Amino acid sequence: MKKFLKTKKSVIFLLGHWTIGGVERVTVIVANELLRRGWKVGVVAFEIVNPNLLKLLNERVDVSELSFPAYSMRNMRDLRSLMKRRSVSIVVNQWSVPAPITMMLRIAAPHGAKIIAFHHTAPNRNKRVMESRGFKRVLYEVAFKLNLKLVYWLCDAYVVLSESYRRVFKDAAGVRLVTKVCAIPNPVNSCGDESVKKENLILYIGRMDRTEKRVDRVIDVWRRLEPLMRDWRLELLGDGPDRVDLEAYAAGLPRISFRGFCDPSPYLQRAKLLLLTSEFEGFGMVIIEAMSARCVPVVYGSFLSAKDIIRNGNGVIVPMPWNCDEFSRAVLDLSMNEELMKNMAEAGYLSVDRFSPQKIVDQYEALFAKV
């Protein structure tokens, strides 16, 4: 491994649309840590939609923008030129599906370069499939499964976010062996600051989306709770395609605010509770960020990796199927038991060191050496 790290230390991260989501945040954290360890690091996106998170990248990280449509000879030439110029040995493909992206990388990559596909959500869930109906849904399901299988055979390693997703990927892709699949969780920077006083504040942090994030469920919970928790307030951080509709859905409810896209750290430092009611997640980075700030997460158990994060009394998982009354009761019980909430907050804070950038990037480097 040491020999590899001395001789082949050039990596690029490939993304589709660079926006303000979890994949971009992970890319920033890992890229900066690899750079600190002596790697040459580049980030390539087909389109930079929102450059805000690029400001957090070390200035020595090379950033390149391609163009859409993605599958073009121009992009192929630009990728080949870029990777040859930078003597790239590792390609981290953050846009693992669709398969033609991996095909492009395989053709454009220098001889000997390794391609690692990172799947940043549950391997058996796809937003396009979920939003479609009838025969179109069947076609999308078949196409999605085929894409998973093709990417698996084209890449040198396939990374999922939890050991529990290895079996899920095997079933979703329909492959017999998953020897190239490994699990590496997302790294998270700490948001903690003990000097900030906690308030009776509940947060939602994430994309304003009804299909995957199901922010409407957070509003439904608050609709039940606000008459019983009159000294508490709910603040929702984030932006997205359904924000206007969600604000209209919450109209008239007291003590609820939509803050838009902003740095969540100051809010997490003041908040006591975080709610996550997604239909599915890959990992839920915001859960760990909340724990690092001693903010207790209450989450819907719709994704397997939740049990990797929330355990030993450091948060609450409300079991499936979705039940608004049960979720509301869990939040209310915590709000009425200050000692329990403090104990959970401390347990969460002590549990997040395993997701530090240093420990997670150790796993990245071990994988780079292995392939």
Side-chain angles (χ1 to χ4, degrees):
M1 178 174 174
K2 289 183 177 179
K3 182 179 179 181
F4 167 81
L5 296 180
K6 287 180 180 177
T7 58
K8 297 183 177 182
K9 298 189 67 170
S10 180
V11 58
I12 65 166
F13 293 80
L14 182 81
L15 296 91
H17 299 276
W18 181 279
T19 58
I20 52 176
V23 177
E24 291 79 12
R25 285 155 57 210
V26 168
T27 301
V28 168
I29 293 171
V30 176
N32 285 343
E33 178 63 19
L34 285 172
L35 188 76
R36 190 186 68 80
R37 298 183 183 204
W39 286 77
K40 288 171 59 179
V41 182
V43 170
V44 182
F46 284 92
E47 182 182 21
I48 297 174
V49 179
N50 189 319
N52 281 327
L53 288 176
L54 287 175
K55 299 171 186 176
L56 302 179
L57 276 172
N58 187 295
E59 62 182 12
R60 291 188 291 125
V61 174
D62 183 64
V63 178
S64 305
E65 185 175 15
L66 300 174
S67 60
F68 276 99
Y71 318 119
S72 67
M73 289 305 299
R74 176 184 173 182
N75 283 337
M76 185 76 74
R77 288 193 300 268
D78 289 347
L79 274 170
R80 181 180 289 120
S81 174
L82 182 151
M83 288 196 275
K84 182 179 180 181
R85 185 176 70 252
R86 297 185 61 82
S87 301
V88 168
S89 54
I90 298 288
V91 180
V92 173
N93 181 12
Q94 306 281 49
W95 194 17
S96 58
V97 178
I101 297 299
T102 307
M103 293 179 190
M104 286 180 65
L105 291 172
R106 180 58 72 194
I107 294 169
H111 178 72
K114 304 301 181 182
I115 298 170
I116 304 175
F118 275 70
H119 202 122
H120 283 279
T121 188
N124 61 343
R125 296 297 189 99
N126 179 269
K127 186 176 180 181
R128 179 172 288 183
V129 171
M130 292 177 65
E131 291 180 338
S132 55
R133 296 290 181 271
F135 184 63
K136 182 180 285 188
R137 178 165 186 149
V138 175
L139 287 177
Y140 280 143
E141 286 175 342
V142 171
F144 178 61
K145 183 172 184 175
L146 179 60
N147 271 270
L148 288 177
K149 185 176 292 188
L150 285 173
V151 173
Y152 178 77
W153 292 118
L154 286 166
C155 70
D156 296 288
Y158 200 106
V159 178
V160 292
L161 295 173
S162 165
E163 282 293 339
S164 58
Y165 286 148
R166 285 171 57 87
R167 168 62 65 177
V168 174
F169 176 84
K170 184 176 185 293
D171 294 340
V175 295
R176 288 186 176 183
L177 299 175
V178 286
T179 54
K180 289 194 286 186
V181 177
C182 68
I184 301 179
N186 285 332
V188 176
N189 285 323
S190 174
C191 300
D193 186 346
E194 290 186 73
S195 66
V196 179
K197 185 179 179 180
K198 288 292 185 181
E199 304 171 10
N200 287 345
L201 172 61
I202 302 172
L203 293 179
Y204 164 80
I205 301 173
R207 189 168 65 254
M208 293 293 160
D209 169 87
R210 277 179 175 259
T211 302
E212 178 182 348
K213 299 297 184 180
R214 291 302 305 265
V215 188
D216 55 308
R217 289 172 171 166
V218 176
I219 298 170
D220 289 339
V221 167
W222 184 244
R223 201 180 302 277
R224 284 167 170 75
L225 289 179
E226 67 82 13
L228 307 173
M229 300 172 62
R230 295 193 178 276
D231 57 342
W232 287 73
R233 68 186 190 279
L234 170 67
E235 299 193 357
L236 298 96
L237 281 59
D239 211 336
D242 297 327
R243 180 180 171 183
V244 173
D245 289 342
L246 289 165
E247 287 183 342
Y249 187 61
L253 282 174
R255 303 183 309 285
I256 181 172
S257 304
F258 288 78
R259 299 298 185 186
F261 175 75
C262 55
D263 180 5
S265 297
Y267 293 88
L268 285 169
Q269 290 162 13
R270 292 185 286 110
K272 292 181 179 179
L273 297 172
L274 172 89
L275 308 187
L276 191 65
T277 57
S278 304
E279 187 66 19
F280 67 95
E281 289 276 348
F283 187 67
M285 289 176 63
V286 70
I287 301 172
I288 304 170
E289 290 171 336
M291 288 177 171
S292 74
R294 292 182 169 87
C295 174
V296 178
V298 182
V299 311
Y300 176 41
S302 57
F303 54 107
L304 291 174
S305 60
K307 293 181 180 179
D308 295 341
I309 304 169
I310 298 178
R311 59 192 190 188
N312 302 323
N314 60 1
V316 177
I317 299 177
V318 179
M320 296 173 68
W322 169 252
N323 185 309
C324 189
D325 289 333
E326 189 171 352
F327 197 100
S328 302
R329 192 178 306 114
V331 176
L332 182 62
D333 288 347
L334 277 175
S335 72
M336 297 174 66
N337 192 332
E338 192 72 28
E339 183 178 358
L340 175 61
M341 195 158 41
K342 285 182 178 179
N343 289 340
M344 279 191 172
E346 191 63 26
Y349 176 76
L350 295 174
S351 71
V352 298
D353 180 63
R354 58 201 165 107
F355 301 110
S356 70
Q358 294 75 25
K359 291 185 177 180
I360 298 303
V361 174
D362 282 348
Q363 296 180 51
Y364 273 72
E365 286 195 320
L367 177 61
F368 293 170
K370 180 180 178 181
V371 299

